[in-house]
Amino acid sequence: MHCTRIDPDTMCPPLECPVHKQFSAPDECCKFCPGVDYCSQGHDCHSNASCLNLETSYACHCNAGFTGNGHQCIDECTSEGGLEGHHCRSNTKCLNTRGGYECEFNCAEIDECAAGTHECHVHALCVNTLGSYHCTCKEGYSGDGVHCLRTCPAPCQNGGSCNEDGECACRTGYTGQDCSLDLNECEAGIGHCDLSTQCVNMPGWYYCACRQGYVPALTHLSPTLCIDVDECVIGNHTCHETADCINVEGGFRCQCPTNSTDCRLSMLCDKWSGSRKWWSNTKRRM
């Protein structure tokens, strides 16, 4: 500190203590009296600070619960974040305390079930809890409460699913209460096979196979398309050499030529039709 030469008798404030009690302080030009109440003489401490007397001056200290340099003292609850503000969350209230602050919960419990803001399934029960809720599937349904599926008395088999009525909805080709039985489409008359084919039942499905006397027209197509086999042309018949082979739908027949006197039809069977002798291998279709 730079001191300007002064006259203590004329430029320093008068002292009320005896001369022998007066003392000098470092970096000060005037003397001081001990026990002076500098705070009562006026100070610039903050309203939330306390003034403390020193030997030659005074000092300001923020009160408990406030921070600052004494001239500026801050209540943590008046500001948010940083070194001098509070860090309470939005659902709490900041309460200033001696030497710090507290965050007090200041929020009401929300009943999501009553408010309809839950995500439970339509077939689930919503149960409110403190600060949250949970979902439970109703009787007759299973799942996590957010997703609930209808349950049937017996598990649905062969890919069947339980419908809203609590019954198994079977996949095509199966039947029964739990879809465990094969549906025989051939016996039920729902197999869509034409006259050139016959229905063959399989577990869960069926197919159409060419009847005797027919062959697949295009083997890579389904259902099978079958065409008649001309046994007379390919030689796949049993007519005697003295008889004529006549192709018919699904088979053939052997017939003696007109006015023939020595004709044999087949070694398998002989039939007379009026005055004409003939034999046929045509099968009756089911």
Side-chain angles (χ1 to χ4, degrees):
M1 180 178 180
H2 176 70
C3 292
T4 303
R5 188 176 183 83
I6 63 173
D7 183 0
D9 296 329
T10 60
M11 301 183 67
C12 288
L15 301 177
E16 297 180 356
C17 60
V19 175
H20 67 277
K21 290 186 177 181
Q22 296 177 7
F23 65 90
S24 298
D27 298 328
E28 296 289 344
C29 298
C30 297
K31 292 185 178 182
F32 297 90
C33 288
V36 177
D37 187 357
Y38 297 104
C39 292
S40 64
Q41 296 177 3
H43 60 81
D44 60 353
C45 295
H46 192 267
S47 59
N48 291 321
S50 298
C51 180
L52 301 177
N53 285 303
L54 303 177
E55 280 190 337
T56 61
S57 182
Y58 66 89
C60 300
H61 293 276
C62 292
N63 297 332
F66 297 87
T67 59
N69 58 10
H71 300 283
Q72 292 291 330
C73 296
I74 300 173
D75 178 355
E76 297 95 339
C77 292
T78 60
S79 62
E80 185 176 353
L83 297 176
E84 298 179 345
H86 71 87
H87 295 269
C88 296
R89 295 185 178 182
S90 59
N91 62 341
T92 61
K93 180 181 179 180
C94 179
L95 297 178
N96 191 53
T97 61
R98 185 177 181 85
Y101 65 92
E102 293 180 355
C103 299
E104 183 181 72
F105 281 98
N106 188 33
C107 51
E109 164 65 14
I110 298 176
D111 189 340
E112 295 88 351
C113 300
T117 56
H118 60 85
E119 297 182 355
C120 297
H121 192 267
V122 64
H123 293 301
L125 297 176
C126 178
V127 180
N128 188 61
T129 60
L130 184 62
S132 184
Y133 66 93
H134 69 265
C135 308
T136 304
C137 291
K138 296 179 181 178
E139 185 178 358
Y141 294 85
S142 63
D144 58 5
V146 178
H147 301 92
C148 297
L149 297 176
R150 193 71 164 89
T151 56
C152 288
C156 301
Q157 302 184 34
N158 297 313
S161 59
C162 193
N163 60 25
E164 286 300 317
D165 296 326
E167 299 175 348
C168 289
C170 301
R171 292 177 56 191
T172 302
Y174 292 95
T175 186
Q177 185 177 0
D178 59 354
C179 305
S180 61
L181 303 177
D182 172 57
L183 174 62
N184 192 323
E185 295 87 352
C186 302
E187 291 183 355
I190 57 177
H192 302 289
C193 298
D194 60 25
L195 295 177
S196 65
T197 61
Q198 60 183 2
C199 181
V200 180
N201 185 65
M202 298 292 289
W205 64 292
Y206 73 96
Y207 69 94
C208 301
C210 291
R211 291 181 180 274
Q212 182 178 350
Y214 295 87
V215 293
L218 297 172
T219 57
H220 65 283
L221 293 181
S222 180
T224 305
L225 298 179
C226 300
I227 58 174
D228 176 58
V229 176
D230 191 338
E231 295 87 352
C232 299
V233 172
I234 65 175
N236 189 22
H237 62 86
T238 59
C239 295
H240 192 266
E241 61 182 5
T242 60
D244 294 330
C245 177
I246 300 175
N247 187 62
V248 296
E249 189 72 20
F252 65 93
R253 68 175 181 171
C254 305
Q255 182 174 301
C256 289
T258 304
N259 299 324
S260 173
T261 59
D262 185 17
C263 175
R264 295 180 58 189
L265 294 177
S266 173
M267 295 178 60
L268 300 178
C269 181
D270 285 342
K271 289 186 180 179
W272 289 91
S273 178
S275 60
R276 179 170 297 178
K277 194 176 183 182
W278 60 274
W279 176 87
S280 174
N281 80 326
T282 305
K283 303 294 183 181
R284 181 173 63 90
R285 296 186 178 88
M286 302 298 293

